[in-house]
Amino acid sequence: MRVSLFITCLVDQIWPTIGTSMVEVLRRAGCEVEFDARQTCCGQPAFNSGYRSEARMMARNLISIFEDSKAEAIVSPSGSCTAMVHHFHELFPDDEQWRKRSEAVATRTFEFGSFLVNVLGIDEVGASFRGRVTWHDACHALRDLHVHAEPRRLLRSVRNLEFVELANADSCCGFGGTFSVKYPEISVAILDNKIEAIEKAGVRAVVSGDASCLMQIGGRLTRRQSKVKYMHLAELLAAQEP
Amino acid sequence: MAEHQNKVVRREILESIRRNLAASKPLDAIRSEHKHPSIPRVTESSAPAGLTLVEQFCESLNAVGGHCEVVTDITGATRVVEQIIELLQARRIAVSDSQLVARVIEKMQSDVELHTSASTAALFECDLGITGAQWAVAETGTLVLESERERHRLVSLVPPVHVAVLQAHSLRQTLGEILKALGENHVLNLNRTVTFITGPSRTSDIELTPAIGVHGPGELYVIIIEHSTNE
Amino acid sequence: MNHLTAETFDENARQALLDPQLRGALRHLAKVFSERRKTAIHTVPDWEALREQARAIKDETLAHLDQYLEAFADNAAHAGAQIHWARDAREACNIVAELIRERNAKHIVKSKSMATEEIHLNQMLEAAGWSPVETDLGEWIIQLAHETPSHIVAPAIHKSKRQIAELFVDKLGIEPTDDVSMLTGAARRVLRQRFAEAEVGISGVNFGVAETGTILILENEGNIRLTTSLPRVHIAVMGIEKIIPRLVDLDVFLKVLPRSGTGQRLTAYQSLITGTKKRADEEGPEEVHIILMDNGRSSMLASPVTRQSLACIRCGACLNACPVYQQVGGHAYGSVYPGPIGAVITPQLVGLSKTAQLPFASSLCGACREVCPVKIDIPELLLHLRSEVVTAGRKGTAEAPAKRKRIEGLLFRGYALAWSRRWMYEWSGKVLRVLQLPMVQNGRIGKVGNFLSRLVPPLGAWTAGRDARPLAPRSFREQWFAQYSRKP
């Protein structure tokens, strides 16, 4: 299957190994991967902060780029960015044409874990990772895209991995985009509930499908000098520890 | 408020509603592009296998802290009332104007002060209130009392204990059935107040710790008479 | 103690986070309500279908609200109720005051009603010389404490048993006790007196049935039944959105509201009141007054996004599920309605100028939407209100936005103009990589100093509690073009 990468600005600039891991895994799964470097950002930060005309500019840009792609699927390592694309139509209340164009792109756009399980129909990708691992459900992936079973299936298929369900897996990590810096004390208070559960779970690593959540969780883990690793699903699935 | 002014305000509010709904129409059309198609039909929960309505009712009532006694006839009901009075050492009993209750109390042996058509002041002094119930809901353990058929509002509420007597044929499976029956034939228009009672009065307002018997009765006894009689 | 405003939500929240007793109470609330709700919704075969149906009934009603409202008013009047219409809080309060004044009544009891909180009825009545007594235990506790409710369903949930006991010792002169049933018993004794002498009972309304003119009020304690049965005058304050079409529609709502609100299958009592008694010797009030109140609700009908706010049945489930509410509690919101639903209806009821923080006080996690029995898409509403705040700021229709907001506006404008162009996006990445160099140590950015914090506030805000991940030495696209080819 031909896949076009919707890499997201966060992964592109701050966490490229998520991108390279994703490419690795998609190729292992037999996909032909392409990357249109004209892409920049989906506009989610603007949309979430109430700047709709700015978000609209970014949306038009992204839609035009991906419309050109002949790929059967557009795959993203971010649940929130994928959800943003699915919400693009809300940015064009006065423009039926653009709403249609948004929809056409959205129907082909998938979150990475969901794509593997639901579109490619696979849950085993030749990965191996030793130790106890737990999963954090990113809010947009969970509640907007209904991704829940897929990452768990993928993780349980990793060789040598012992999957542990986190007590509050589906609770928000407290990131929420600009919320994390507009209300940092509340953001960290919410985060600490997540961190306590992770530490109680006694795991080697916590895994999630969204780099934003991982920045939030990872940032606190390192500040607290925790030994727990934090990884994106793509990074873990790309791992092939002997 | 002056009648005229009230009419003016009524008109303004209704007009405001209409105006705003009209303004929404074009946006509604866009939204329906994404609408979910049909409304799923809700299935009624099926009765737990093997349990009669009476058994279900008792189970539901017990689950919310009420007491359920099943008897075969009026005499049985009288016995149970006597037992409750004995247990609680009740002295002053208020009764509603229910004919069924009158028949239950008729042969009662207990040495108590009976108050029929009690004044409010008297009710506040009573230890126990006895009413009937026009319907009951097996699924939830709920009693349904209609003001048109029985003077129930204060007798079932003011004394600290409420005893309700009803006949088994008054039971229905679900609350939905009761609402349907009440809505039919303008039954509700005849009934100024219909009260649903499910267990004793309660609260969780202090640290979410349950406490029973706040303003309403702290004890609820329901006596179900299985044998059908004329009432 | 409270009476905080929404304008200082950030400061209110900071204070709340420093209160260990409050945080303990909120942790307890979150845990208990979540468990009770989960258990309760498993007692119906198809919870999702019930939510759909509840929402469908509300949608239908709101789409024809004028017709249903008129039918309700006419049917209730036909049954003997006196219907009053109020455009806003002031009119509603005046109607109540006038009714009480005309009847020379002195002893007033009240049952819990968020609508009466919304219009600050007690304040108005007290200013006019009356002393309305709250009879719901939680409401009475906060009345004694001179506070406002911190939760829609459990108003005193922020208070510990100990605090309540101390309050009772102080105000009622009871013996100190740790026992919840003793405290409840004390409340019962005192309030029974009030009921006995009450001349006017004021209540809210949960649902108004258009078909029959019936009002339904539900409760657990029994104070609503007493408030609406004992006094000779009953005044019910009702938001115009409380209408539902038919009596049988109550079935769905009686299934979803108790389960969502308190985790019960059904509350202890429901009163279905239609008009007044027909004969003088019947029980119940001589007069039943229903005040139909707009107070900003009809404006919410103007778009499908905002209209869904009116579907709310005030169950409080969204508060219990909200990670923000769970951390800061209800008072921090500084508004009558707290939590997720409060964050969306308060700005609509009182305007955005004094409530502009509320729509931003959310991580948009969507837990509220998930538990809402009528499927209100609160995140969608929050996002809508955020864009309203920005638009008002730009049009100059709001109060002059703070300097911070203006700078933010410029930044987002710059971001959109720059990042919609590939070369500027790539170039800005290169620049940031250079600028960040002095801040990076051991592969991360730790707590930045005061100067940087002031220069780049978000960086200071982030790094106060968390390390920041720096831009990677080589972006993905650089690596792609170095290692991978576009051709297979």
Side-chain angles (χ1 to χ4, degrees), chain A residues 46-97:
Chain A
F47 183 67
N48 282 358
S49 295
Y51 295 92
R52 294 211 173 183
S53 49
E54 284 78 359
R56 213 171 358 253
M57 282 172 72
M58 307 305 290
R60 282 203 190 99
N61 196 45
L62 204 76
I63 291 166
S64 314
I65 290 165
F66 280 111
E67 268 173 347
D68 283 351
S69 166
K70 301 271 191 306
E72 290 145 271
I74 302 159
V75 179
S76 172
S78 163
S80 61
C81 301
T82 306
M84 184 71 242
V85 170
H86 286 243
H87 283 286
F88 271 167
H89 65 91
E90 289 172 29
L91 287 166
F92 304 103
D94 301 321
D95 197 327
E96 200 187 339
Q97 260 310 302

Side-chain angles (χ1 to χ4, degrees), chain A residues 42-238:
Chain A
C42 67
Q44 193 190 171
F47 183 67
N48 282 358
S49 295
Y51 295 92
R52 294 211 173 183
S53 49
E54 284 78 359
R56 213 171 358 253
M57 282 172 72
M58 307 305 290
R60 282 203 190 99
N61 196 45
L62 204 76
I63 291 166
S64 314
I65 290 165
F66 280 111
E67 268 173 347
D68 283 351
S69 166
K70 301 271 191 306
E72 290 145 271
I74 302 159
V75 179
S76 172
S78 163
S80 61
C81 301
T82 306
M84 184 71 242
V85 170
H86 286 243
H87 283 286
F88 271 167
H89 65 91
E90 289 172 29
L91 287 166
F92 304 103
D94 301 321
D95 197 327
E96 200 187 339
Q97 260 310 302
W98 271 107
R99 281 202 301 277
K100 283 206 167 81
R101 292 168 74 175
S102 311
E103 282 303 283
V105 170
T107 48
R108 282 190 296 150
T109 306
F110 302 94
E111 183 272 339
F112 173 65
S114 173
F115 176 72
L116 290 175
V117 175
N118 297 324
V119 180
L120 294 184
I122 60 174
D123 44 17
E124 206 275 308
V125 294
S128 67
F129 185 85
R130 210 166 285 281
R132 285 165 67 91
V133 167
T134 192
W135 174 259
H136 158 73
D137 289 299
C139 292
H140 280 99
L142 177 67
R143 300 196 177 93
D144 265 36
L145 305 174
H146 309 292
V147 173
H148 185 265
E150 298 87 341
R152 286 163 173 81
R153 277 173 63 180
L154 289 162
L155 288 174
R156 283 185 215 272
S157 306
V158 174
R159 235 178 37 248
N160 299 323
L161 187 150
E162 187 193 340
F163 180 74
V164 175
E165 185 68 36
L166 192 62
N168 58 6
D170 62 359
S171 295
C172 185
C173 68
F175 178 71
T178 50
F179 173 80
S180 62
V181 292
K182 286 190 170 163
Y183 297 100
E185 299 89 354
I186 309 177
S187 178
V188 171
I190 297 170
L191 176 58
D192 277 341
N193 277 354
K194 181 67 63 170
I195 300 292
E196 273 160 34
I198 291 170
E199 279 170 354
K200 243 198 209 107
V203 293
R204 180 181 169 203
V206 55
V207 187
S208 186
D210 248 283
S212 41
C213 303
L214 287 166
M215 278 193 338
Q216 169 88 342
I217 293 171
R220 190 69 170 156
L221 283 171
T222 58
R223 180 62 61 92
R224 284 162 67 132
Q225 296 178 321
S226 168
K227 295 278 184 296
V228 178
K229 285 165 140 21
Y230 48 98
M231 316 169 66
H232 189 276
L233 180 65
E235 291 176 305
L236 189 131
L237 293 178

Side-chain angles (χ1 to χ4, degrees), chain C residues 62-101:
Chain C
L62 293 168
H64 305 102
L65 187 60
D66 54 324
Q67 294 169 29
Y68 286 117
L69 195 56
E70 266 193 300
F72 171 80
D74 294 343
N75 287 327
H78 185 71
Q82 294 179 54
I83 308 294
H84 309 264
W85 298 78
R87 282 169 292 204
D88 56 29
R90 198 182 49 86
E91 279 187 357
C93 284
N94 285 342
I95 293 166
V96 177
E98 208 36 47
L99 287 170
I100 296 173
R101 194 173 292 124

Side-chain angles (χ1 to χ4, degrees), chain B residues 16 151 156 158 192 198 205 215, chain C residues 192 225 268 274 276 281 298:
Chain B
S16 176
R151 201 184 157 83
S156 65
V158 176
R192 289 309 185 235
T198 311
D205 274 347
H215 299 293
Chain C
R192 256 170 113 71
R225 288 178 62 195
T274 312
T276 44
D281 66 343
S298 56

Side-chain angles (χ1 to χ4, degrees), chain B residues 1 6 9-10 13, chain C residues 84-93 95 238 240 291-295:
Chain B
M1 186 185 221
N6 203 29
V9 176
R10 169 181 169 132
I13 290 176
Chain C
H84 309 264
W85 298 78
R87 282 169 292 204
D88 56 29
R90 198 182 49 86
E91 279 187 357
C93 284
I95 293 166
M238 179 175 144
I240 54 175
I291 302 176
L292 294 169
M293 178 172 77
D294 186 342
N295 203 29

Side-chain angles (χ1 to χ4, degrees), chain B residues 6 12 16 18 24 31 42 151 153 156 158 188 190 192 194 196 198 201-202 205 207 214-216, chain C residues 53 66 83 87 135 138 161 188 192 214 220-221 225 228 268 270 272 274 276 281 283 298 307 380:
Chain B
N6 203 29
E12 274 194 35
S16 176
R18 287 179 196 123
S24 182
R31 200 171 182 78
V42 177
R151 201 184 157 83
R153 284 171 85 165
S156 65
V158 176
L188 200 72
L190 299 171
R192 289 309 185 235
V194 179
F196 297 169
T198 311
S201 145
R202 64 189 64 240
D205 274 347
E207 285 191 356
V214 194
H215 299 293
Chain C
Q53 195 172 30
D66 54 324
I83 308 294
R87 282 169 292 204
T135 59
K161 195 169 55 178
R188 178 189 166 89
R192 256 170 113 71
T214 303
N220 276 307
E221 295 180 18
R225 288 178 62 195
T228 58
Q270 288 79 41
L272 283 79
T274 312
T276 44
D281 66 343
E283 291 178 298
S298 56
R307 186 152 72 243
E380 181 187 25

Side-chain angles (χ1 to χ4, degrees), chain B residues 107-120:
Chain B
K107 300 271 169 47
M108 193 173 71
Q109 306 263 312
S110 314
D111 178 26
V112 291
E113 264 176 53
L114 267 181
H115 294 259
T116 51
S117 335
S119 67
T120 303

